[in-house]
Amino acid sequence: MGKRAWAILIAVSLLTPLGLLAPGEAWGEWDISQWKVPSWWKSTAESLSNFWRAPLSDYNLPGWVSGFLPYLGYMVSAIIGVAVIYALTVLLGKALSKGK
Amino acid sequence: MHIPDGYLSPQTCVLFYVIMAPLWYLAFRKGREVLDSKYVTTLGLLSAFSFIVMMFNFPVPDGTTAHMVGGALITSLMGPYAATIAISIALLVQALLFGDGGITTYAANSFNMAIVLPFTTYFFIIALRKLLKDEWRGRLWGGVIGGYVGIVLAASLCGLEIGVQPLFFKGYSPYPFWLSVPAMTFAHLVTAGPVEAVVTYAVLNYVRKYSPNILHLPQLAPSIKGVVRRG
């Protein structure tokens, strides 16, 4: 499966900007600031969401906010994500399969 | 289906970590038992596959979007616990690196996508394997039908988790279940479910064409009395 699978995975990674074309957002994944609730309610929820800032938030590179850059950032994020997730899974898999 | 931080109360988050801890342990234990070092890279590829397919957002007729998860394909190939491991890792990196799905909600998201979806698929594989008396067709149609049912079930559950918050815990998700459950179920019935089913069907057939040993991958599945696993 090796080489062929990698070729497909990389090709699909390069196509990820297509995944941004659908209008709108996933249901229930809106920013807390968009909730129509009193401010004490928002600050309660934000006490859980403010402690971590993802370095590549929204699959974009910091500062790449306009034009085609978010699409490019999305693609770069896809490649970074594939690399990191593959490496982590293989590391864990190696630890689990030790001696077999 | 990635619940962000702040949507679930601390109590709900802790509950799901308590539920997930033994399930992660069982998945790792099964991995230690049956995972051959030869197939570690296959598991890595499947984890990356799950991550990448989740980046394709498809339009839902109500103006929102939804995506497949890939749990059905992983379950058909290497069993439900392989999907638990692969998807949990993808979700962890999505939360930490990309801010997609929360950290406090990580266990809840893992339960929906890395347990409910794979084990629903696995249930259909067992049933159809028996019914069709054929390993390959059981895995294929179990993956397709189980994947469709499983992702819808996972999404409905996700909606329920979000939707019970305003009843019990003020200060977190303000969306009641009579809005969240229909919205999540609808999005996955009409959009993400069909995508999960079609991609599972296509990739399984494709893999079978080029890797005749598709049915002989290690199976990370629970040992259930009366169920004979081949492969």
Side-chain angles (χ1 to χ4, degrees), chain B residues 38-49:
Chain B
K38 217 168 81 185
Y39 295 107
V40 165
T41 52
T42 311
L43 189 61
L45 272 167
L46 291 174
S47 191
F49 164 82

Side-chain angles (χ1 to χ4, degrees), chain B residues 52-181:
Chain B
I52 208 78
V53 296
M54 288 197 262
M55 291 187 77
F56 288 86
N57 302 300
F58 287 83
V60 179
D62 65 3
T64 64
T65 67
H67 58 73
M68 65 173 285
V69 174
L73 176 77
I74 305 176
T75 302
S76 294
L77 288 174
M78 291 184 72
Y81 281 137
T84 302
I85 295 173
I87 297 170
S88 294
I89 293 175
L91 290 174
L92 185 67
V93 173
Q94 286 174 324
L96 292 177
L97 209 52
F98 302 109
D100 191 9
I103 296 165
T104 57
T105 54
Y106 171 62
N109 286 329
S110 297
F111 183 75
N112 301 334
M113 286 183 263
I115 295 289
V116 174
L117 166 60
F119 280 89
T120 305
T121 306
Y122 187 55
F123 172 81
F124 276 86
I125 290 175
I126 294 173
L128 288 172
R129 188 157 53 191
K130 265 195 183 144
L131 196 72
L132 303 169
K133 296 185 176 64
D134 183 82
E135 178 69 21
W136 160 247
R137 288 200 297 151
R139 295 248 204 123
L140 177 70
W141 292 108
V144 170
I145 301 167
Y148 182 83
V149 177
I151 200 167
V152 172
L153 215 58
S156 309
L157 208 64
C158 170
L160 191 64
E161 290 153 17
I162 293 173
V164 296
Q165 300 302 316
L167 300 184
F168 299 109
F169 311 102
K170 295 267 184 284
Y172 305 98
S173 156
Y175 305 102
F177 67 86
W178 58 87
L179 294 179
S180 60
V181 174

